[in-house]
Amino acid sequence: MSEDSRVSGSFVAADYVVFALMLVVSAAVGVYYAWTDRKQRSSGDFLMGGRRLTALPVSLSLTASFMSAITVLSHPAEVYRYGASVAFYCLSYLVTMLVTSEVFLPVFYKLSITSTYEYLELRFNRATRLLGTLLFVVQTILYTGIVIYTPALALNQVTGLDLWGAVVSTGVVCTFYCTVGGLKAVVWTDVFQLGVMLAGFLAVIIRSVMLQGGVISIISDSQRGGRLNLWDFDTNPLRRHTFWTVTVGGTFIWISVYGINQAQVQRYISCKSITHARLSLYINLLGLWSILFCSVFAGLCLYSVYKHCDPWNTGLVSAPDQLMPYLVMDILGDYPGLPGLFVAAAYSGSLSTVSSSINALAAVTVEDLIKPYRNISEKHLSWISKGLSTWVNECLFLQATISIFGIIGGPLLGLFTLGIICPCANSKGALSGLLSGLVVSLWVGIGAQIYPPPPDMSRPLSLTTDGCNFTTTAGFNWTSTALPTQPSSTAPTPLLADWYSLSYLYFSPIGTIVVISVGLIISMFTGKSHFVQYGLLVVIYRVQRFSALFVVFSYSFKVLDLTKSNVPS
């Protein structure tokens, strides 16, 4: 890019209009469902949509719920810095939908429960249910806090959009339509917001393709820059991203989202039949693939545009999550309204995630923390649900900005898996396993934050400033090649160094495996011997079935890798 284009612009009136229009439409959906469902009397109608929803809107809502602003801003930046290996999430999504539809969905749907944590009391005891609920509440508040604040900060610093004005306005609108419209409003606003997210991505992609001379040019630039590093089958668990870390680790993470997370389960069990629920999961798969493709290709566009002059190392942006907003202002700044469309896309991701979290937190609070201990009428429960939707959103703005989504989600996935596929597991084993898995996950997760993995494990790709023809305010001319800076820290002992260098995508599998292993061992020593023996046989049979599928799956990709390596260059 030329020197005169190296100035990040600011919002104009048309951009604010587009952003405001997104908020107005979202609020209008809430008003519509508040009016059409004004006669609803029960908390079930408010929290579950009366269990009369169909597959298509639910599927789109499932896609939007966890495709947050972090996806819009961070996935392209990840591709820009580390390459396109995250594209293998497409396989994680596929396995996730298969496991969810065949293992978790039948259990939750047939029980006709509102909160997934009701299952834990039915299967184990009330203490297990209460602990699981509290962990979900902590997980959701922390995750949603980062979804709200981090993108707002990045967009503020690049576009000039007022930080707290944007946060408060989106929070108020989200609170409004969640409170007055319930689950139906949340689902249909998700549908609209998913469309806005795709439109924002497409605006950036189309303009980048036009500037760079076509799709082939962008692919060629990415190939020469090492960004198409897809066929990396290194089994080293310390590597940040390889085929195995993304597919195996990603599968555990996404199963913990779609299989047991209240925000997702609440949607597909609100369908009018189990067939619609299954169909919603598989249609949602197409939506996930679409968003993933857009985010990965946007990252390749980002690299193609700045392949000769990296904005991060030159100080034009101060953090990787500002790269996409900077690109938008750089290439779309001359088209009033299009920067506003991209920002609306980012905030649509935030709104969809926050609204899902609000509705889910209201549901588990009513079902798990109020109903079991208080005898309250359905009418009053409905009002409590609406009041909680307002209160929860106000609390989220004050939460910590450190995500422990995988760290808590892994042990919770292990707990539910233990209950569903291990008949020999008892409540003592479940509680012991959950606590053990949580301790180990927190240990490795916090350790990884204190002692970040070395560059030879994360392997950031080179970024150059050779093509920069401008001077900073300090008078330094940027004409160098550099790797992204890595935080420095005091190294722990060699054994702990390897433990803390574990790929962050394996935090969830570790928690899951520890919970199941400890849970089975404790159950074996505290349960009836003949029942334990029968249960272990069932577990072994089920594990063998899944292992056979996994071996076939792994072998097919190994063959592809060998075939690729034998092709002459």
Side-chain angles (χ1 to χ4, degrees), residues 366-425:
V366 168
E367 296 295 326
D368 300 320
L369 303 179
I370 295 178
K371 282 179 72 173
Y373 306 99
R374 293 287 186 274
N375 186 18
I376 302 175
S377 68
E378 280 296 326
K379 181 178 180 180
H380 287 118
L381 283 173
S382 179
W383 282 106
I384 291 173
S385 301
K386 294 180 179 182
L388 284 168
S389 295
T390 303
W391 177 81
V392 163
N393 196 58
E394 295 303 320
C395 289
L396 289 172
F397 294 117
L398 303 176
Q399 307 312 314
T401 58
I402 299 175
S403 173
I404 55 171
F405 194 68
I407 295 174
I408 295 180
L412 285 175
L413 174 61
L415 178 62
F416 279 93
T417 304
L418 183 70
I420 291 174
I421 72 169
C422 304
C424 58

Side-chain angles (χ1 to χ4, degrees), residues 207 241 260 398:
R207 180 58 181 159
H241 283 160
I260 65 165
L398 303 176

Side-chain angles (χ1 to χ4, degrees), residues 323-339:
L323 286 166
M324 275 300 286
Y326 182 84
L327 174 67
V328 168
M329 300 307 298
D330 196 359
I331 68 175
L332 296 177
D334 295 333
Y335 300 87
L338 289 185

Side-chain angles (χ1 to χ4, degrees), residues 418 422 424-426 428-430 432-433 436 513-528 532 536 539:
L418 183 70
C422 304
C424 58
N426 58 30
K428 295 178 182 177
S432 302
S436 301
I513 292 169
V514 169
V515 171
I516 295 174
S517 301
V518 173
L520 285 175
I521 292 172
I522 298 299
S523 298
M524 188 183 305
F525 286 103
T526 58
K528 296 180 180 179
V532 170
L536 287 175
V539 172

